[in-house]
Amino acid sequence: MRGTSVLLVFALSLAAVLTGCGGTQSRTVTSFTSTPVPTPAGGTSASVQPASVKIIPDGANLGAGETQRFTAAMSDGTAATFSWSLINCVDNCGTITADGLYTAPSFVSKNINFRIAATSQSNSSIMGTTYLNLMPVSVTIWPAAVVRLAANQGRPFTAVVSYDPVNQGVTWSVSGAGCSGSTCGTLTNATATSVTYEAPSNAPAPATVTLKATSVTDPNQSGTAALVVMGSASQYRLQGAYAFLIQGWRASEIAGDYEGGGEMAIAGHIDIDANGNVSGIWDATVKASGGAMEPIAGNYTAESDGIGTITLRASSGTWTFMVAGTSGGDSAALWQSPSNHPPLSTIAIQSGYMLRQNTNAFSMASVQGDRVLALTFMNIAALGRLTCGTEGNVGNGQMDFTWGGSVMRFFTTGTMTGMFTLPDPLTGRGTVALTVTPGPDSSPETFHFAYYIVSNAKMLLVQSDANTWLIPVLRGEARRQNDAGTFTNASWNIPVIYNLNSDDAGSWWSPFATIGVIRPDGTGSLAEVSDNTEVVEDVGIVVTMRSTDSGTYSVSPNGRVALSLPGIPLNLYRPHVGVAYLTGVNEGYLIREQIFGTPFGYFEPQTVAPFGGYGLAGTYTASVAGPPRTFKPEQEIGLVNLATDGSATIFLSVDRGGGLFQLMDWAGTYTTSDDGRGVMNLTDRADGEQKTVVFWAVSANRLLALVSMEDADPRLVELVR
């Protein structure tokens, strides 16, 4: 995206946000500057930079009773004295002295946000402000991910208490929906900061237990950890060859990089031996200069519950991730360890996943044939297909891009050519160059990727080109496409359950997730029923329940599907359009146009079953669904129980990024309808808030749920029994 047309689109989009165009909410920006200097008599007009006030430090987070000294200075270096004040303060916000010493109140019961102002005493129109957040006592338990324990197994836990003015620590307790007292387990070696949990001899039903650490200073503040009492978990240990994909965010400007940071991605191959030794290679795109292949080494350890750490060392430094293996060790989820110190402090690596590799597939025979490519980057999604010939040449290629900007959004469709190199027989790594004509900026664009073979059916890709704000770091998957060249409208002829997510696939302002059913008739018409959860800036979480739509579709022989849903126009009075690529009959990837973001996801056939009544009753293992998001397959994060009496419980621990987790311990009732849609009406056991969770049945044993979390992006959660 090096062309000026993309720059123009970006500029128009940004301007539209600032002016409130296109139906988006306008944002008022207030600046305080000095009075312009008049033109001297007999002189010429000159551009004079208006003076402003800079406050140091630029914002602060403080707990009860803490202090912070603020200083102010004029941007033009002129001497000035200032008056200090608190603005936008609607609660007990503390005090600030005449010389800028701020003191927080002695007790903070909730998060309070306001601003500190420094005003020139000689000119009250010249003012500068900075933010201040008052933080209540905060309690976090580590480990925070769902911990699985065998009967009678023990596990130590630690509580970290922040913003506690008297540092009194916590008290510990344990409870569960299917147990009480010692049947939930016992707590030993309890201190103000640690405890050992001992699982009971018999697992409760449901087998979920909550460990709680309550602040002594403020009993209204607590932290929780999710426990599941079950059989031996040694089956979760990882060993063998794995391909992995990690993505994250450059949090601030890096030397030689563009201001404001941007996304990054790493793909690679590792071997883990029986002693936990790790060796391999990766392609790391963490700088603006593009991707670099490096050898890596490290070590892996895991507890009996499958949660552990993996440390990867490269020439650029050492990174440590938390890792959660799945049953049989065929896959694992990765997320940044809170103790991790990246080689570049400005890089914040978020999360990713590992998949066991079939080393017998490390040959050109596994690369050849028809593939569907599903790639994302922030507010861009790329979906297409190609045929790889015997020599690695790319033919029959086609790629669709969608860019979700502030007001401008568009599809571009181009032909795709290129070349795959032979994969390494030891790592499964190869490279591919793909040229799309026209590219996203209406001119030919060449993208270079490193790929890693998982199996004959799947490979992982990461772009290696130098990147800027306008040049993406595309990453994702390439899946085998069956029946290529023979697809017709009849290839999409039964109900499919689909999911869309605009998080990592990218919304700038309003992350959202959607699940639902599409019912194509096999001749070009379709109907849709969906549920949507969206986080809208300055508004909060907005839920749209059971919306319906109808439209048309057209399937090309190569599997490309053009979609039109002429419901309410999302922007510029255009219909809601989308593109899908079939990986086989009735399944594939999907992207849509949206005023903000690029909805991206997957759809698959819905199995006919008696979904109504309590036909879906049972206990389900919950995992973060993918793709898109971080493409984390089968990250086991908890349990959901749907009982035959209509009662429901949810016990989930969801990764909010950077190793931070949110526990959901909710209980209530549920109903289902014959089309496979269900609704859980729940209450949060911790604070009594009402929660609604919508799910759709893919089959009698597999559900896709839409979960909303306070102050976090919505999650698509897969439930399997």
Side-chain angles (χ1 to χ4, degrees):
M1 298 179 195
R2 302 164 175 83
T4 57
S5 61
V6 174
L7 288 169
L8 177 60
V9 168
F10 179 79
L12 291 174
S13 301
L14 183 60
V17 168
L18 296 177
T19 57
C21 296
T24 59
Q25 185 173 357
S26 62
R27 304 178 65 188
T28 302
V29 179
T30 304
S31 61
F32 300 90
T33 60
S34 64
T35 303
V37 178
T39 303
T44 60
S45 176
S47 175
V48 178
Q49 182 69 29
S52 60
V53 178
K54 182 178 182 180
I55 298 178
I56 300 175
D58 185 14
N61 298 322
L62 300 177
E66 293 186 321
T67 61
Q68 175 66 57
R69 171 76 66 181
F70 291 95
T71 60
M74 298 297 296
S75 61
D76 60 4
T78 59
T81 56
F82 301 93
S83 298
W84 293 90
S85 61
L86 310 180
I87 60 176
N88 297 331
C89 178
V90 295
D91 213 320
N92 180 17
C93 299
T95 60
I96 191 165
T97 62
D99 59 352
L101 178 63
Y102 172 81
T103 303
S106 59
F107 181 75
V108 178
S109 62
K110 62 181 180 180
N111 184 256
I112 301 173
N113 313 108
F114 55 94
R115 300 192 72 81
I116 302 290
T119 305
S120 170
Q121 293 184 1
S122 62
N123 186 346
S124 61
S125 68
I126 303 178
M127 184 199 322
T129 68
T130 190
Y131 74 89
L132 197 145
N133 297 327
L134 291 180
M135 312 296 291
V137 173
S138 173
V139 181
T140 303
I141 298 179
W142 185 257
V146 169
V147 174
R148 303 165 189 80
L149 301 99
N152 298 315
Q153 181 185 358
R155 177 67 183 265
F157 290 85
T158 300
V160 178
V161 183
S162 305
Y163 304 107
D164 184 349
V166 292
N167 196 28
Q168 295 190 76
V170 301
T171 58
W172 298 91
S173 61
V174 63
S175 62
C179 60
S180 62
S182 62
T183 62
C184 293
T186 56
L187 301 177
T188 61
N189 304 319
T191 72
T193 58
S194 63
V195 74
T196 298
Y197 170 79
E198 303 284 349
S201 57
N202 297 309
T208 54
V209 176
T210 300
L211 177 65
K212 186 175 184 179
T214 302
S215 167
V216 175
T217 300
D218 184 357
N220 292 318
Q221 309 299 331
S222 61
T224 55
L227 314 177
V228 178
V229 181
M230 54 194 308
S232 172
S234 59
Q235 59 184 327
Y236 296 100
R237 188 170 178 85
L238 306 175
Q239 186 175 336
Y242 293 86
F244 63 90
L245 184 65
I246 300 166
Q247 57 190 21
W249 180 259
R250 293 193 295 270
S252 61
E253 185 177 2
I254 302 171
D257 199 357
Y258 54 87
E259 185 174 359
E263 293 201 351
M264 48 74 66
I266 302 173
H269 152 88
I270 56 173
D271 279 297
I272 305 175
D273 67 19
N275 297 317
N277 297 308
V278 176
S279 61
I281 61 172
W282 70 18
D283 286 85
T285 304
V286 298
K287 299 181 180 179
S289 57
M293 186 182 74
E294 297 178 307
I296 54 176
N299 59 281
Y300 159 74
T301 61
E303 302 291 340
S304 58
D305 59 6
I307 305 295
T309 62
I310 187 166
T311 298
L312 301 176
R313 295 185 294 272
S315 60
S316 55
T318 300
W319 294 347
T320 299
F321 303 92
M322 300 302 298
V323 58
T326 59
S327 180
D330 288 332
S331 64
L334 299 167
W335 64 94
Q336 183 180 3
S337 170
S339 62
N340 183 35
H341 299 286
L344 295 173
S345 60
T346 47
I347 295 180
I349 297 176
Q350 293 176 342
S351 54
Y353 66 102
M354 298 165 50
L355 298 174
R356 188 186 298 280
Q357 291 176 293
N358 177 2
T359 55
N360 293 326
F362 293 172
S363 68
M364 184 57 77
S366 295
V367 180
Q368 295 166 7
D370 300 307
R371 297 274 178 179
V372 170
L373 277 65
L375 308 167
T376 62
F377 164 79
M378 209 167 74
N379 63 316
I380 300 170
L383 195 57
R385 59 93 52 215
L386 58 81
T387 301
C388 178
T390 57
E391 302 299 323
N393 55 298
V394 172
N396 303 318
Q398 187 172 10
M399 179 70 79
D400 288 85
F401 287 87
T402 180
W403 178 310
S406 55
V407 170
M408 304 295 288
R409 77 194 195 289
F410 56 88
F411 267 113
T412 60
T413 302
T415 59
M416 184 163 52
T417 59
M419 180 68 68
F420 283 84
T421 65
L422 187 72
D424 185 285
L426 298 179
T427 64
R429 179 193 183 272
T431 62
V432 56
L434 299 174
T435 299
V436 182
T437 307
D441 62 353
S442 300
S443 60
E445 184 79 17
T446 299
F447 302 89
H448 298 86
F449 295 90
Y451 72 82
Y452 288 85
I453 293 175
V454 176
S455 65
N456 182 56
K458 181 184 292 188
M459 62 178 67
L460 307 181
L461 298 95
V462 62
Q463 187 179 353
S464 58
D465 295 309
N467 58 92
T468 68
W469 184 257
L470 297 176
I471 301 173
V473 184
L474 293 171
R475 70 279 181 156
E477 299 182 343
R479 293 196 184 188
R480 180 74 62 189
Q481 185 185 46
N482 300 311
D483 304 315
T486 65
F487 291 112
T488 66
N489 282 352
S491 301
W492 202 16
N493 59 1
I494 65 173
V496 297
I497 300 299
Y498 77 96
N499 67 82
L500 292 170
N501 192 328
S502 75
D503 183 30
D504 285 345
S507 168
W508 291 349
W509 304 101
S510 51
F512 69 90
T514 301
I515 57 175
V517 62
I518 297 176
R519 299 188 180 94
D521 65 359
T523 64
S525 297
L526 60 82
E528 176 187 67
V529 182
S530 63
D531 296 273
N532 178 74
T533 297
E534 184 174 6
V535 180
V536 179
E537 187 185 23
D538 298 328
V539 175
I541 297 174
V542 177
V543 179
T544 303
M545 300 281 286
R546 200 176 180 90
S547 62
T548 61
D549 209 342
S550 62
T552 61
Y553 71 96
S554 177
V555 180
S556 299
N558 67 355
R560 183 182 185 273
V561 184
L563 296 163
S564 178
L565 293 166
I568 299 174
L570 294 178
N571 186 37
L572 301 180
Y573 304 100
R574 297 180 60 187
H576 194 163
V577 298
V579 169
Y581 278 84
L582 298 173
T583 57
V585 174
N586 292 311
E587 63 180 342
Y589 290 95
L590 172 67
I591 56 177
R592 285 187 175 172
E593 288 190 328
Q594 168 84 358
I595 185 170
F596 292 124
T598 49
F600 181 96
Y602 192 77
F603 60 90
E604 56 192 310
Q606 184 184 45
T607 303
V608 177
F611 295 130
Y614 300 120
L616 296 174
T619 298
Y620 295 80
T621 298
S623 62
V624 174
R629 191 158 172 79
T630 50
F631 296 86
K632 291 186 287 189
E634 304 177 26
Q635 182 190 355
E636 298 180 359
I637 58 172
L639 297 175
V640 173
N641 185 70
L642 304 178
T644 54
D645 63 358
S647 62
T649 57
I650 282 186
F651 194 79
L652 305 179
S653 180
V654 175
D655 184 359
R656 298 183 62 164
L660 299 177
F661 285 79
Q662 177 171 330
L663 178 65
M664 302 174 192
D665 188 1
W666 304 344
T669 61
Y670 78 98
T671 59
T672 57
S673 55
D674 289 338
D675 61 359
R677 181 180 183 271
V679 178
M680 303 183 213
N681 296 302
L682 308 168
T683 301
D684 190 326
R685 297 180 195 267
D687 56 23
E689 289 189 5
Q690 300 302 301
K691 308 290 185 179
T692 300
V693 174
V694 178
F695 62 86
W696 284 86
V698 179
S699 68
N701 297 308
R702 184 163 165 265
L703 316 176
L704 196 63
L706 185 57
V707 178
S708 298
M709 300 182 295
E710 184 178 357
D711 299 327
D713 297 345
R715 290 293 196 273
L716 296 170
V717 176
E718 185 177 18
L719 309 177
V720 179
R721 62 172 176 173

